[in-house]
Amino acid sequence: MTATAKLFASAALLLLLLVGVPLFINATGRSDLYYTLTSVALLSIISAGVWITFYIGRINIGQGAYALMGGYVSAILVMEYGVSFWVTLPLAGLFCMAASVLIGLPILRLRGVYFAMVTLVLTEVARLLALALPITNGAKGIVSIPQPGRIGLFGLTIVPDFATLANPRFAFYIVSVLLMALCFAALYRLKNSRIGQLCQSLQQNEELASSIGVNITYLRVLAYAISSFLGGVGGAMFAAISQSIYPSSFTVADSINFMLNCFLGGLGYVFGPMLGTFVLYFGWDLLFQTGEFQLLIFSTILIALMLLLPNGLLSLRLSGRAKATAAAPPAHRQEEAQARSTAAGRASS
């Protein structure tokens, strides 16, 4: 697929999400789907942060810690200091980014299961800190968070006050979809940049990358910082939507699900976390009718998919193309074969 075709496909998907989905929801009267799809969009943003750490060869199971941290930072700034939510949104991401740099400098030296176990502990540490610190209000959490206010420019209202809207869920949905589109567009650009290629070299062989002059420490910390930034932004949005944040808002189970989203969608594809989040979120709900067998069936399907599709669901779209490419020789090889057969015919004559 050419770059132009990819651009048109992305624009069509964005148009479908911003126009087609709201029209469908209004026609069916299922306004509750706004919250569901908003959750999928935000979870895919947080999962995209996990995908970045996979891209440098690290298994990250601690993304829930930064989502929880971002939610508390936004809630505290809004409730205690009266800061606008729209200002706290990037501030929550930057705070998580700064924290991840301090945490990542020592732990990013670890690899494999050792790094995974340390990041797994981070989510539980964040939860215990939220329970212990007075500013987080302990187990009571922070509730009654006001909805995002108005954004104006030169007297014009760019974003209305969500509290004055008849359906704030629709506004949250639009904002979440736009954030998701911005997130994955930035990731796609990053992957195809020079830094993205250097990050991929870390995944393949860090020693070799270091031997040719690549600053592997800088790249590891940079990738982890971007990952935590996305987690913080997603957590802040969740706190605004639910108008509350608790120590149990993001747990170890959520961190594992963020990782599974990347595995299921495809670690080699930028849009893998988006597809994986969609499938896992709705797949779990569809299996709700099975009752006590829900978790067993869900786990079995996940294991089967990872065994049959180790490169994720997005690898399916390339299977047919790869087979066709393998079956048909390249054009220059066909020309060479024809030239050889012509030369052989002349020699025999």
Side-chain angles (χ1 to χ4, degrees), residues 270-346:
V270 174
F271 297 101
M274 185 190 301
L275 178 62
T277 302
F278 183 87
V279 173
L280 280 180
Y281 193 97
F282 286 99
W284 176 258
D285 289 342
L286 288 175
L287 292 174
F288 182 76
Q289 302 299 327
T290 59
E292 59 183 2
F293 299 102
Q294 181 184 18
L295 183 58
L296 176 62
I297 297 174
F298 184 75
S299 303
T300 304
I301 293 175
L302 278 182
I303 293 172
L305 285 174
M306 290 181 184
L307 288 175
L308 298 174
L309 294 171
N311 294 323
L313 293 174
L314 283 178
S315 62
L316 283 173
R317 67 184 181 90
L318 298 177
S319 59
R321 189 184 307 170
K323 290 179 180 178
T325 305
H332 70 276
R333 292 185 180 177
Q334 292 180 351
E335 294 175 357
E336 290 178 1
Q338 291 176 359
R340 289 176 183 174
S341 61
T342 303
R346 289 178 180 175

Side-chain angles (χ1 to χ4, degrees), residues 194-216:
R194 181 176 178 272
I195 295 180
Q197 294 173 355
L198 292 176
C199 288
Q200 191 173 16
S201 69
L202 297 187
Q203 183 184 22
Q204 296 171 352
N205 193 320
E206 284 192 1
E207 287 76 12
L208 180 59
S210 178
S211 67
I212 60 176
V214 177
N215 191 340
I216 60 175

Side-chain angles (χ1 to χ4, degrees), residues 4 30 40 55 91 157 160 162 198 214 228 239 264 289 298 341:
T4 304
R30 292 289 306 277
V40 172
Y55 202 62
L91 288 179
T157 299
F162 282 23
L198 292 176
V214 177
S228 63
L264 184 60
Q289 302 299 327
F298 184 75
S341 61

Side-chain angles (χ1 to χ4, degrees), residues 126-349:
R127 186 186 71 85
L128 294 176
L129 282 176
L131 283 171
L133 293 177
I135 196 170
T136 60
N137 205 22
K140 296 179 181 179
I142 301 176
V143 297
S144 301
I145 301 174
Q147 294 186 351
R150 169 183 173 273
I151 298 179
L153 184 65
F154 302 116
L156 299 176
T157 299
I158 301 175
V159 177
D161 187 347
F162 282 23
T164 63
L165 298 177
N167 188 5
R169 289 186 175 183
F170 171 70
F172 277 116
Y173 169 76
I174 295 297
V175 172
S176 300
V177 169
L178 291 176
L179 283 177
M180 181 181 67
L182 182 62
C183 165
F184 282 94
L187 286 186
Y188 182 82
R189 181 68 186 90
L190 178 65
K191 180 185 177 182
N192 293 279
S193 66
R194 181 176 178 272
I195 295 180
Q197 294 173 355
L198 292 176
C199 288
Q200 191 173 16
S201 69
L202 297 187
Q203 183 184 22
Q204 296 171 352
N205 193 320
E206 284 192 1
E207 287 76 12
L208 180 59
S210 178
S211 67
I212 60 176
V214 177
N215 191 340
I216 60 175
T217 302
Y218 168 76
L219 289 177
R220 287 184 303 202
V221 173
L222 177 64
Y224 195 54
I226 296 174
S227 169
S228 63
F229 178 85
L230 295 179
V233 170
M237 279 297 299
F238 263 114
I241 293 172
S242 60
Q243 294 186 274
S244 61
I245 183 73
Y246 299 94
S248 59
S249 295
F250 293 96
T251 61
V252 173
D254 295 308
S255 294
I256 295 174
N257 286 333
F258 296 145
M259 179 186 65
L260 290 177
N261 293 337
C262 300
F263 274 121
L264 184 60
L267 295 178
Y269 309 97
V270 174
F271 297 101
M274 185 190 301
L275 178 62
T277 302
F278 183 87
V279 173
L280 280 180
Y281 193 97
F282 286 99
W284 176 258
D285 289 342
L286 288 175
L287 292 174
F288 182 76
Q289 302 299 327
T290 59
E292 59 183 2
F293 299 102
Q294 181 184 18
L295 183 58
L296 176 62
I297 297 174
F298 184 75
S299 303
T300 304
I301 293 175
L302 278 182
I303 293 172
L305 285 174
M306 290 181 184
L307 288 175
L308 298 174
L309 294 171
N311 294 323
L313 293 174
L314 283 178
S315 62
L316 283 173
R317 67 184 181 90
L318 298 177
S319 59
R321 189 184 307 170
K323 290 179 180 178
T325 305
H332 70 276
R333 292 185 180 177
Q334 292 180 351
E335 294 175 357
E336 290 178 1
Q338 291 176 359
R340 289 176 183 174
S341 61
T342 303
R346 289 178 180 175
S348 63
S349 60

Side-chain angles (χ1 to χ4, degrees), residues 56-192:
I56 61 170
R58 295 294 187 275
I59 302 175
N60 183 7
I61 323 179
Q63 190 72 339
Y66 296 106
L68 185 64
M69 197 181 302
Y72 268 109
V73 168
S74 176
I76 291 171
L77 289 176
V78 170
M79 296 293 291
E80 300 295 332
Y81 302 99
V83 182
S84 171
F85 165 76
W86 303 110
V87 178
T88 68
L89 191 60
L91 288 179
L94 292 174
F95 182 89
C96 293
M97 180 181 287
S100 69
V101 171
L102 297 177
I103 297 172
L105 282 173
I107 70 171
L108 283 170
R109 298 175 181 271
L110 302 174
R111 299 184 188 178
V113 68
Y114 303 104
F115 180 81
M117 290 300 100
V118 171
T119 56
L120 183 63
V121 172
L122 286 178
T123 304
E124 188 63 16
V125 170
R127 186 186 71 85
L128 294 176
L129 282 176
L131 283 171
L133 293 177
I135 196 170
T136 60
N137 205 22
K140 296 179 181 179
I142 301 176
V143 297
S144 301
I145 301 174
Q147 294 186 351
R150 169 183 173 273
I151 298 179
L153 184 65
F154 302 116
L156 299 176
T157 299
I158 301 175
V159 177
D161 187 347
F162 282 23
T164 63
L165 298 177
N167 188 5
R169 289 186 175 183
F170 171 70
F172 277 116
Y173 169 76
I174 295 297
V175 172
S176 300
V177 169
L178 291 176
L179 283 177
M180 181 181 67
L182 182 62
C183 165
F184 282 94
L187 286 186
Y188 182 82
R189 181 68 186 90
L190 178 65
K191 180 185 177 182
N192 293 279

Side-chain angles (χ1 to χ4, degrees), residues 7-63:
L7 181 61
F8 276 112
S10 301
L13 177 60
L14 183 60
L15 186 64
L16 174 65
L17 293 174
L18 293 177
V19 180
V21 171
L23 289 176
F24 172 79
I25 292 176
N26 292 335
T28 57
R30 292 289 306 277
S31 59
D32 57 298
L33 288 177
Y34 280 128
Y35 181 81
T36 301
L37 295 175
T38 299
S39 299
V40 172
L42 295 179
L43 290 174
S44 66
I45 292 174
I46 302 175
S47 300
V50 180
W51 179 87
I52 296 175
T53 55
F54 274 117
Y55 202 62
I56 61 170
R58 295 294 187 275
I59 302 175
N60 183 7
I61 323 179
Q63 190 72 339

